[in-house]
Amino acid sequence: MNILIMGPAGSGKGTAAKKIVEEFLVAHISTGDMLRENVKENTELGQQAKDYMEAGRLVPDDLINAMVKERLLRDDVKEGFLMDGFPRTLVQAKAFDEITKSIEKPVEIVINLKVDVDTLAGRITGRRICKNCGAIYHIKNAPSKVEGICDVCGNPTIQRPDDTLEQLQVRLSEHAKNTEPVLDYYREKGLVKDIEAAKSADEVWLDIKQAIDTVK
Ligand code: AMP
């Protein structure tokens, strides 16, 4: 299966992505995670992307497209992929068409997670992630056993520098400006499945699984 998952920051995309990957055994390709890895390793790409990311703005298309193109050449994509956080602009969507054509893996479904702004704000400002292993917590909805410490690896959990209300506003307006046209692009191709995602993670998962099973 070749799947795209879309939804603004706080829509539960990360949690849903993890489940999709486990269930459908596809390669999880998160451009946000790849970029954060590059920033952490201080690569040339990381240095170029860092300021955009900290400001909640989109990293330029050519950098992202090159990164995704290279990633899709790896062996683990054989059984399919879950693209998470990409494409975020029409330029990226069109470049992605070319890439998927060249590897003969067309997008089969676009999962669109829909959540109202107030729910997003609560989710974003309470989100904490493990600096070391990337595990995700929420101070109210899914706290770690010991406050500020990751259950999985025992390292400190932190708030991502872009997980503030101010950055949420920037990211939501970026999302509306750039990503809505991407959704329309895939809607015209008849690939989009809208999922009401302000519900519990378990309920959302059932809807997602059903949507993917129907196109499988
Ligand atoms: P995410 O974890 O998906 O919210 O991504 C974190 C940040 O990485 C975003 O706010 C952007 O600065 C950058 N980023 C991730 N994916 C893309 C993309 N497809 N295009 C441009 N910038 C991206």
Side-chain angles (χ1 to χ4, degrees):
M1 283 297 292
N2 306 319
I3 308 166
L4 298 190
I5 187 162
M6 297 181 69
S11 60
K13 207 158 41 83
T15 308
K18 219 174 126 197
K19 290 190 169 161
I20 293 173
V21 167
E22 278 167 18
E23 177 78 23
F24 296 98
L25 304 175
V26 290
H28 184 195
I29 304 181
S30 155
T31 46
D33 284 352
M34 291 171 78
L35 289 169
R36 277 185 287 278
E37 192 61 28
N38 274 277
V39 171
K40 198 167 132 194
E41 304 285 323
N42 200 26
T43 65
E44 199 183 326
L45 172 62
Q47 288 169 15
Q48 288 166 316
K50 190 168 186 269
D51 290 346
Y52 294 98
M53 294 172 74
E54 281 179 1
R57 309 211 80 92
L58 292 182
V59 174
D61 290 327
D62 50 351
L63 294 179
I64 300 286
N65 291 341
M67 179 178 86
V68 168
K69 191 171 179 183
E70 195 188 302
R71 176 65 184 83
L72 281 171
L73 294 176
R74 287 209 218 141
D75 266 359
D76 64 347
V77 181
K78 257 197 216 119
E79 299 302 320
F81 54 74
L82 173 70
M83 293 303 308
D84 172 359
F86 176 94
R88 278 231 219 336
T89 67
L90 258 189
V91 172
Q92 291 179 12
K94 288 178 180 165
F96 194 48
D97 273 351
E98 293 303 313
I99 299 171
T100 50
K101 213 182 276 171
S102 70
I103 58 169
E104 296 178 8
K105 292 205 171 302
V107 173
E108 289 160 283
I109 183 170
V110 178
I111 300 287
N112 180 38
L113 300 179
K114 297 177 74 164
V115 186
D116 60 279
V117 174
D118 288 347
T119 306
L120 288 182
R123 287 183 179 176
I124 282 287
T125 52
R127 178 157 74 177
R128 298 292 181 273
I129 59 164
C130 174
K131 242 180 133 164
N132 179 52
C133 72
I136 304 169
Y137 301 92
H138 188 281
I139 49 173
K140 279 200 205 122
N141 306 339
S144 53
K145 289 193 190 96
V146 179
E147 194 187 323
I149 300 293
C150 177
D151 293 348
V152 181
C153 69
N155 280 285
T157 60
I158 54 153
Q159 183 167 28
R160 261 170 51 179
D162 53 352
D163 274 352
T164 61
L165 273 186
E166 294 72 29
Q167 296 306 340
L168 175 65
Q169 295 299 344
V170 178
R171 284 153 92 187
L172 287 179
S173 67
E174 288 273 359
H175 188 78
K177 191 173 80 196
N178 297 302
T179 312
E180 289 298 332
V182 176
L183 262 179
D184 292 343
Y185 181 74
Y186 288 115
R187 241 181 245 293
E188 274 169 30
K189 294 175 185 271
L191 292 173
V192 177
K193 293 274 179 202
D194 290 306
I195 304 282
E196 187 47 65
K199 301 185 284 191
S200 75
D202 286 346
E203 288 172 300
V204 173
W205 169 236
L206 284 181
D207 291 347
I208 293 175
K209 187 172 175 313
Q210 195 181 34
I212 298 177
D213 279 336
T214 22
V215 296
K216 218 166 73 171

